[in-house]
Amino acid sequence: AVVTGASSGIGYAFAEELASRGLDLVVTARRLDRLEDLAARLTRRHGVTVTPHQSDLADPAAPPRLLEFTGGMDVGLVISNAGFGLRRGPHETHNAATLTALLMLNCNAPSALAHGFIPRLRARGTGGIIFTSSVEGAIGGPYSAAYSASKAMVTALGEALWGELAETDIDVLTLCPGKTVSEAAIKQGFDASTLDDAMTAREVARLALEHIKDGPTYISSEHYATMIGQLSALPRGQALLASAAAMKKHMAARDAGRS
């Protein structure tokens, strides 16, 4: 299996889960030291081969390099997990270059990796792809505009490929987590001590693997599945205003905690 974004969070948890099930791994992320520590620990604990590959998938040249790196390997499962979000705030307040990097990592990388790995999986005759999206991709996210838009693209990509590959033995699942206790959540401005409805990354990864045949999409949190259902039942404008009000409340509490 290939796992992108494996140095922390859900990607790290996917690597742990897959190694515990006996799969050899290629793990990739920007932080090589973390990948090497992960590889050593998983190899020692589970006796699998874990190969680190340093890569910044926001660079458009990185997906082809990863495809070349894995060219001689029997890859049966691709976990396209790498991505990042931004601290909640008005769209225009974010750095333009950072927004571009977000779109390249969150959108271009999954598309490019799917484009490269699908022919190999077809030739292999069986396999799977899991895309890590988010519940934020279900509707435009006020004060999280670029991130929610990027995850909407990931969800649409995964659903479309599920349809294209439905008559093959290649499983496609788009994982849509809610709040997850992770480094990424903290960087986005969430206080880990107040994430009442959060799941652990390991739980999210485990559930995704257990539900890989239940595509096209899978919301790992019952709480957020209910919430998305409720929002979807509202007129679109009303749902967006409700989301904006909730996010304003979150940002006010966050900023008050800093003062």
Side-chain angles (χ1 to χ4, degrees), residues 17 20 23 26-27 38 109 113 137 145 171 174 183 214 216 244 251 258:
E17 276 292 320
S20 73
L23 274 76
V26 173
V27 291
L38 173 64
L113 292 175
D171 298 312
T174 301
E183 182 180 316
D214 299 330
M251 291 190 298
R258 296 175 58 197

Side-chain angles (χ1 to χ4, degrees), residues 19 36-51:
E36 290 175 338
D37 289 344
L38 173 64
R41 187 171 66 81
L42 294 181
T43 297
R44 184 171 59 251
R45 180 172 297 179
H46 302 292
V48 296
T49 299
V50 183
T51 305

Side-chain angles (χ1 to χ4, degrees), residues 36 65 87 110 146 150 190 202 228 243 258:
E36 290 175 338
R65 285 196 292 263
R87 190 173 180 82
S150 74
F190 290 103
R202 189 68 182 266
I228 293 302
S243 296
R258 296 175 58 197

Side-chain angles (χ1 to χ4, degrees), residues 230-254:
Q230 292 171 341
L231 283 174
S232 299
L234 295 173
R236 198 72 167 180
Q238 187 177 341
L240 288 167
L241 290 175
S243 296
M247 193 57 71
K248 282 183 179 180
K249 184 177 179 181
H250 158 72
M251 291 190 298
R254 176 196 70 193

Side-chain angles (χ1 to χ4, degrees), residues 115-134:
H115 181 267
F117 276 113
I118 286 174
R120 300 184 193 179
L121 295 174
R122 284 187 183 274
R124 190 174 185 271
T126 185
I129 305 174
I130 294 178
F131 298 98
T132 300
S133 183
S134 169

